[in-house]
């Protein structure tokens, strides 16, 4: 298997430079860029250990899914926005804080948390 051989070369190269690849933490995600059929699932191994396959993973704050969907990422962003809202609710619900300041806070903190990366054109 070409993939497993390449992965082993990668591991050996990293270790020769003083890096250590965590076999326990290593996972992979398969991206199917075409609708062509594939001859069964192959086993990806690293040093005789089977590497678990994931359907999604987090990269630079975004959830990447192997099925080309974005629902996990949207849900993650909404949760992050609500979390920022909850953390700031003491200030935002305080009657002594001016309404204009509350609006600026939402624009600067809550909205960017939810929209971060949305302008990247996912799906183009």
């Amino acid at each position: 298997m070409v993939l497993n051989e390449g992965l082993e070369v990668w591991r050996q190269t990293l270790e020769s430079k003083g890096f250590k690849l965590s076999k326990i933490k290593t996972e992979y995600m398969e991206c199917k860029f075409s609708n062509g059929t594939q001859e069964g699932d192959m086993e990806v191994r690293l040093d005789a250990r089977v590497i678990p396959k994931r359907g999604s993973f987090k990269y630079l704050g975004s959830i990447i899914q192997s099925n080309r969907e974005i629902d996990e990422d949207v849900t993650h962003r909404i949760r992050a926005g609500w979390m920022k809202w909850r953390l700031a609710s003491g200030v935002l619900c305080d009657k002594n804080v001016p309404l204009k300041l509350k609006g600026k806070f939402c624009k600067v903190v809550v909205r960017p948390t939810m929209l971060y990366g949305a302008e990247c054109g996912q799906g183009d």
Side-chain angles (χ1 to χ4, degrees), residues 40-74:
D41 287 332
M42 68 178 234
E43 232 176 38
V44 177
R45 295 179 165 272
L46 181 62
D47 226 16
R49 183 183 182 280
V50 176
I51 304 298
K53 184 176 179 179
R54 298 278 313 260
S56 65
F57 72 96
K58 193 173 187 178
Y59 180 71
L60 297 177
S62 294
I63 307 290
I64 312 294
Q65 293 177 241
S66 63
N67 62 2
R68 302 182 193 172
E69 297 294 324
I70 61 168
D71 54 327
E72 283 185 44
D73 191 44
V74 170

Side-chain angles (χ1 to χ4, degrees), residues 1-2 6 13 18 26 35 42 55-56 58 62 65 68 70 75-76 78-80 87 95 100 102 106 115:
M1 300 202 165
V2 177
T13 303
T26 301
N35 293 331
M42 68 178 234
S56 65
K58 193 173 187 178
S62 294
Q65 293 177 241
R68 302 182 193 172
I70 61 168
T75 301
H76 169 71
I78 291 170
R79 283 188 187 138
L87 289 171
K95 294 177 183 176
K100 191 172 182 176
K102 292 177 185 182
C106 282
L115 298 178

Side-chain angles (χ1 to χ4, degrees), residues 7-108:
L7 192 56
E8 186 59 29
V9 169
W10 180 60
R11 182 191 66 79
Q12 290 173 0
T13 303
L14 285 173
E15 289 180 356
S16 73
K17 304 293 181 192
F19 293 96
K20 185 171 176 153
L21 184 64
S22 173
K23 295 168 192 141
I24 296 169
K25 294 180 183 177
T26 301
E27 300 171 327
Y28 80 99
M29 184 178 83
E30 178 183 7
C31 295
K32 296 181 181 178
F33 295 108
S34 67
N35 293 331
T37 59
Q38 189 177 4
E39 296 179 20
D41 287 332
M42 68 178 234
E43 232 176 38
V44 177
R45 295 179 165 272
L46 181 62
D47 226 16
R49 183 183 182 280
V50 176
I51 304 298
K53 184 176 179 179
R54 298 278 313 260
S56 65
F57 72 96
K58 193 173 187 178
Y59 180 71
L60 297 177
S62 294
I63 307 290
I64 312 294
Q65 293 177 241
S66 63
N67 62 2
R68 302 182 193 172
E69 297 294 324
I70 61 168
D71 54 327
E72 283 185 44
D73 191 44
V74 170
T75 301
H76 169 71
R77 291 177 191 282
I78 291 170
R79 283 188 187 138
W82 276 115
M83 186 62 87
K84 288 292 183 191
W85 176 266
R86 281 188 209 103
L87 289 171
S89 64
V91 173
L92 295 173
C93 296
D94 188 342
K95 294 177 183 176
N96 297 324
V97 176
L99 189 58
K100 191 172 182 176
L101 182 60
K102 292 177 185 182
K104 284 184 180 182
F105 184 84
C106 282
K107 283 182 185 177
V108 172

